[in-house]
Amino acid sequence: MIEPTSPLFDGITARQVDTARISARVLLRDGDRSDTPAERTVVLLHGLLSSSLIWQEFMEDLPSDLRVVAVDLRGFGGTESLPVDATRGVGDFADDLHAVLDALEIRAAHLVGTDLGASVAAQYTLDGHGALSLTLQAPISPYGLGGTRLDGSRLTDDGAGTGAATANAEFVRRLTARDKSDESPASPRNVFRAEFVSEAYRTAREDVWVDAMLSTSTAGGNYPGDTVSSPNWPGAASGDLGVLNALAPAHFDQSALAHLGARTPVLWIHGELDAIISDASFLDPAHLGSLGILPDWPGEADAPSQPMVSQTRAVLDADAATGADVRELVVEGAGHLVHLERPAAVRQALLEVIGYIGHAPNPAPPTETIVLKSSD
């Protein structure tokens, strides 16, 4: 594990939770009660290249009578960097989460996650554990990251251009070196500014968010993972170890989210300016090829950009059609980490979906979409 270097915010405490599977770091709020009922318990899961540090502001702003727990996933923050078996998709992460929550005697809770964390929350739910609701912020497409068409069909059998094959080698080098500078477009700080938030976002706490990125383990079997050569463009495909490979369509399929039904309300939040999870993602080699950034792109017919947002909408629309409570919140002017840029909007929507405050009855399907046009 890589110890976080930033001091915790006032009122936030770290605890190491040791289980038979993994030793995990969690963040807790001072004063939260362990006997809080499940319907008032919220579990927060960070995304790729991050840690629970990223949730601290949000934790501070939630009502004091909730129990709020933020968990560092395997290979991030203060949690062990055990190798990730990518052939299980995000199964390793979901099983880790179950072990940690069981150790904390949390049998059911409302789950909130960002990209990877959203996928872990979804898998935990699909595995039949106690998720009272799902709040998915900028989730990975139900068909994985890269290399698929709208219906989830793969562009190539071997998953060329997906998984660890999408990682930027210079960024990984700087991540491993714990580079805090802004001297290169590939430095973690500049990647955070360019891809994780909108251009307008400014904060005095940027060093904390960068420290969260730098807590990512690049040890074997963690970020990004192994690759194999491919005869298909762009020449490399996902391997079987590591976190990015766990999100590759060869291993990852959460299309069963279309059948969650009424038992699990879903809130889907995404920023209008998200550069990572998008129908034109700057992490997608096919999109970069179409812009001429990657050479020898074979063309739209063979390598179209993955319509990530449209894929998620189609699957959640199918869930809504069964009568499920599914809500989509599109936040205008926000990037990938909406809870940093528009915390009040995310807080309001979350408190509604968990039943802490009232909201209007869910309309008939398809998914209800609310476009938030004003800043907090």
Side-chain angles (χ1 to χ4, degrees):
M1 69 184 69
I2 299 171
E3 293 292 331
T5 57
S6 291
L8 298 176
F9 296 179
D10 288 346
I12 305 295
T13 302
R15 174 180 167 186
Q16 205 69 27
V17 179
D18 295 320
T19 77
R21 282 189 59 83
I22 198 163
S23 177
R25 177 71 57 85
V26 302
L27 296 188
L28 310 169
R29 300 190 307 180
D30 295 346
D32 282 5
R33 294 175 56 93
S34 61
D35 60 352
T36 302
E39 61 268 19
R40 292 290 182 266
T41 301
V42 176
V43 175
L44 305 172
L45 303 171
H46 64 83
L48 283 165
L49 300 168
S50 192
S51 78
S52 57
L53 294 178
I54 207 79
W55 287 112
Q56 291 182 95
E57 287 181 339
F58 195 72
M59 294 173 74
E60 291 177 323
D61 289 344
L62 288 175
S64 60
D65 56 342
L66 297 179
R67 183 186 185 189
V68 184
V69 179
V71 181
D72 282 344
L73 299 174
R74 175 184 296 217
F76 300 94
T79 292
E80 282 187 282
S81 55
L82 301 177
V84 176
D85 180 358
T87 65
R88 303 187 65 224
V90 293
D92 275 352
F93 295 104
D95 288 350
D96 292 345
L97 178 63
H98 185 239
V100 171
L101 295 187
D102 188 60
L104 293 171
E105 298 185 345
I106 296 175
R107 311 302 180 208
H110 301 282
L111 303 185
V112 181
T114 296
D115 61 66
L116 170 63
S119 297
V120 174
Q123 192 62 52
Y124 183 91
T125 306
L126 292 171
D127 290 345
H129 301 307
L132 301 182
S133 70
L134 282 176
T135 295
L136 309 176
Q137 179 176 253
I140 305 299
S141 161
Y143 302 110
L145 198 57
T148 57
R149 298 179 178 84
L150 179 60
D151 64 358
S153 59
R154 282 193 259 163
L155 303 183
T156 63
D157 290 339
D158 66 352
T162 69
T166 67
N168 180 299
E170 177 61 13
F171 169 75
V172 175
R173 186 188 72 78
R174 289 177 177 271
L175 186 68
T176 303
R178 311 300 163 206
D179 175 18
K180 294 189 177 185
S181 76
D182 60 0
E183 65 182 27
S184 164
S187 72
R189 187 178 299 273
N190 281 331
V191 169
F192 174 82
R193 292 171 177 173
E195 298 181 7
F196 283 80
V197 291
S198 70
E199 186 177 2
Y201 178 70
R202 298 289 185 276
T203 177
R205 287 171 160 169
E206 183 179 81
D207 284 347
V208 181
W209 313 152
V210 173
D211 276 347
M213 293 184 74
L214 296 178
S215 75
T216 302
S217 173
T218 56
N222 284 264
Y223 184 90
D226 62 323
T227 61
V228 296
S229 62
S230 170
N232 300 304
W233 184 87
S238 59
D240 291 339
L241 283 174
V243 60
L244 286 187
N245 293 330
L247 300 172
H251 306 310
F252 183 97
D253 181 1
Q254 293 187 341
S255 56
L257 289 169
H259 310 294
L260 278 180
R263 70 185 182 276
T264 311
V266 177
L267 170 63
W268 172 31
I269 302 173
H270 54 111
E272 175 200 28
L273 302 181
D274 193 337
I276 296 175
I277 303 299
S278 166
D279 285 359
S281 170
F282 283 90
L283 294 189
D284 183 0
H287 179 60
L288 297 178
S290 72
L291 298 176
I293 297 173
L294 287 183
D296 304 320
W297 180 58
E300 184 69 22
D302 293 325
S305 300
Q306 183 191 15
M308 301 178 186
V309 172
S310 297
Q311 289 174 329
T312 297
R313 183 172 291 116
V315 168
L316 292 183
D317 276 353
D319 188 35
T322 69
D325 180 359
V326 178
R327 291 172 172 256
E328 177 184 359
L329 177 63
V330 186
V331 183
E332 188 175 84
H336 185 65
L337 296 176
V338 183
H339 76 278
L340 290 185
E341 299 195 62
R342 300 290 190 274
V346 176
R347 182 176 63 248
Q348 169 91 8
L350 171 63
L351 294 179
E352 288 181 357
V353 80
I354 72 173
Y356 189 87
I357 58 177
H359 65 269
N362 191 49
T367 307
E368 177 189 12
T369 304
I370 304 168
V371 181
L372 186 76
K373 295 187 177 181
S374 60
S375 61
D376 294 332

